[in-house]
Amino acid sequence: MNIAAKWTIDRAPDLTGRTAVVTGATGGLGYEVAYGLASRGARVLLTGRDAARGARAVEMLRERLPEARAEFLSLDLACLRSVAGFARDLKERTDTLDILVNNAGVMASPRRQETADGFELQFGTNYLGHFALTGQLRPLLVRAAEGGRVVSVASLAAWQGRIIFDDLQSRHRYTPFSAYQQSKLANLIFALELNRVAQSAGWRLHSIAAHPGWARTDIAVSRSSAPQGLAERSMRRIVRIGFRYLGQSAEAGARPILFAAAAPEARDGGYYGPGGRGERRGRVTEARIPPQALSLSVARRLWAVSERLTGVALS
C-alpha cells in the first residue's frame, strides 16, 4: 500500500525547536537525512568517527542551507565507551531528544574484524552500538514533547539474514555479506521489538524502521584492497553494478528514512522503503517485512543477549 505516493521532506511539518541526532552523518544517507531534517528547522547533531569529515559535512550543509542549525559530535559506534561518553555529553547539552536516526553502518568487511569491545565489526557497529546508544538516550527521548522517534535503518539485505545465536560474532564462520545481513536483520527486529516494549511499558517513544533500497553511497560501492576469494570478488562486482544501474541516489534513498523520522503519517512499528520493483528504488511506501523478523521468541532472546553484551538495560 502506497501511503505516501509523492512524499518529500517538504511535506513534513515545521521542526523548529526539535533536536535530532543522526549517526553516520558525514556522508551518504546520513548526510542527506541530516540535511532534510535541518531544512525543516530541526537542530541537527551529525555524528561520526572522523572530526575532519564531520567539519566538512557541516560546512557543506550550511553552504546548501545557510540558516541550518547543525553541528558535529564525535561518536564511534564500534566502542561502547564512546557511546556512553556521547550520551553523557548530549545530556549536558539538552534535556530532550526528539529524533534519533540510527543510520551508521559498516558493509561487508572483507576480513573478520572486531570492535573495541570484541564484537564482530558489523554486528557490533551496525546493531549493538545502536542498541546501546538508544538505551543510553532513552531518558532524553521519552521527555520529548511528542515522544521521541527512534528510526532504525535496516536494509533489503535483511531478507537473507539469520540471527545465529550460537555464533553471533562470526568466530566459527565468517563471510562478509552474511555478517552484514545478520546485522541489518537485527536492526529491523530491534525496531519492531522496541515498539512493542515501548507500548507495553507506556513509554513516550516511537520506534519506526526504514530502508533506502539500493542507494548509491560509499558503503555500497567501495572497493577493498584486502585479499578476497573469487566468490567474494564476484559478489562485490555484482553489488557495484547492481547499485549503479538499478539503484537510486543517496538523496532518494534518504526519503524513506526521513519519512520515518518526520512524517506524521509514519506509524509506530512501521517499516518504510522505496515502492518500485523489488523495493530497490522509487517513492516512499510501506516495506515488506521478512518473515524471520517477526518471531517474538527471537526478538526477545536477541534483546536479552544485547542487554548482556552491551551492559545497557533498555527495558
Side-chain angles (χ1 to χ4, degrees), residues 10 62 116 118 291:
D10 294 337
R62 288 177 175 159

Side-chain angles (χ1 to χ4, degrees), residues 150 185-209 267-270 289-303 314-315:
V150 178
L185 174 61
N187 283 351
L188 179 53
I189 291 172
F190 171 62
L192 300 176
E193 183 65 6
L194 179 60
N195 175 62
R196 287 189 286 263
V197 171
Q199 292 194 359
S200 176
W203 297 345
R204 289 169 53 81
L205 186 150
H206 312 280
S207 177
I208 306 169
R267 62 180 179 82
D268 293 356
I289 299 176
Q292 65 269 34
L294 296 172
S295 168
L296 290 178
S297 61
V298 169
R300 289 164 183 165
R301 184 178 179 186
L302 180 62
W303 184 286
L314 224 168
S315 52

Side-chain angles (χ1 to χ4, degrees), residues 4-288:
K6 295 184 179 180
W7 192 89
T8 65
I9 189 60
D10 294 337
R11 298 192 174 197
D14 182 7
L15 298 176
T16 301
R18 309 288 179 85
T19 299
V21 167
V22 183
T23 69
T26 59
L29 292 169
Y31 170 80
E32 293 297 340
V33 170
Y35 171 78
L37 295 174
S39 75
R40 301 305 299 156
R43 172 195 178 200
V44 183
L45 306 177
L46 295 78
T47 81
R49 294 175 298 169
D50 188 325
R53 287 192 66 190
R56 286 196 297 271
V58 171
E59 181 180 0
M60 289 170 53
L61 196 155
R62 288 177 175 159
E63 286 176 358
R64 293 173 67 186
L65 192 68
E67 68 274 19
R69 298 181 63 222
E71 59 184 299
F72 173 79
L73 298 177
S74 180
L75 170 62
D76 184 358
L77 287 157
C79 175
L80 293 177
R81 179 178 295 180
S82 175
V83 172
F86 174 85
R88 285 194 302 269
D89 291 345
L90 189 60
K91 290 171 184 175
E92 294 177 358
R93 290 169 173 263
T94 182
D95 294 327
T96 63
L97 178 61
D98 299 278
I99 301 167
L100 171 62
V101 180
N102 289 328
N103 162 77
V106 178
M107 181 179 180
S109 176
R111 58 184 178 82
R112 185 184 180 279
Q113 300 180 64
E114 292 189 349
T115 68
D117 305 285
F119 307 134
E120 186 277 317
L121 183 64
Q122 296 178 82
F123 190 72
T125 302
N126 302 355
Y127 172 63
L128 289 175
H130 283 126
F131 180 95
L133 180 66
T134 303
Q136 298 274 7
L137 296 182
R138 184 172 70 87
L140 300 182
L141 288 159
V142 298
R143 287 201 292 266
E146 297 182 7
R149 284 199 191 196
V150 178
V151 179
S152 298
V153 179
S155 167
L156 286 171
W159 279 88
Q160 286 76 47
R162 295 292 185 274
I163 305 299
I164 311 299
F165 285 106
D166 292 339
D167 193 22
L168 282 175
Q169 311 306 333
S170 304
R171 292 190 176 95
H172 301 296
R173 183 175 185 272
Y174 176 80
T175 59
F177 284 97
S178 293
Y180 179 71
Q181 291 157 0
Q182 176 181 245
S183 72
K184 284 300 181 177
L185 174 61
N187 283 351
L188 179 53
I189 291 172
F190 171 62
L192 300 176
E193 183 65 6
L194 179 60
N195 175 62
R196 287 189 286 263
V197 171
Q199 292 194 359
S200 176
W203 297 345
R204 289 169 53 81
L205 186 150
H206 312 280
S207 177
I208 306 169
H211 78 81
W214 283 9
R216 293 188 293 270
T217 66
D218 289 345
I219 193 174
V221 301
S222 61
R223 296 175 182 269
S224 171
S225 59
Q228 302 172 45
L230 177 61
E232 178 66 17
R233 291 198 302 272
S234 299
M235 177 62 76
R236 288 183 183 278
R237 180 176 174 80
I238 291 169
V239 169
R240 286 197 299 271
I241 293 173
F243 275 64
R244 180 181 302 167
Y245 294 106
L246 299 176
Q248 59 185 354
S249 67
E251 180 182 4
R255 285 181 194 140
I257 305 169
L258 284 166
F259 182 85
E265 303 94 327
R267 62 180 179 82
D268 293 356
Y271 185 34
Y272 301 95
R277 186 174 182 179
E279 296 184 10
R280 292 187 291 266
R281 60 188 298 168
R283 300 189 183 279
V284 180
T285 191
E286 288 198 33
R288 294 184 304 133

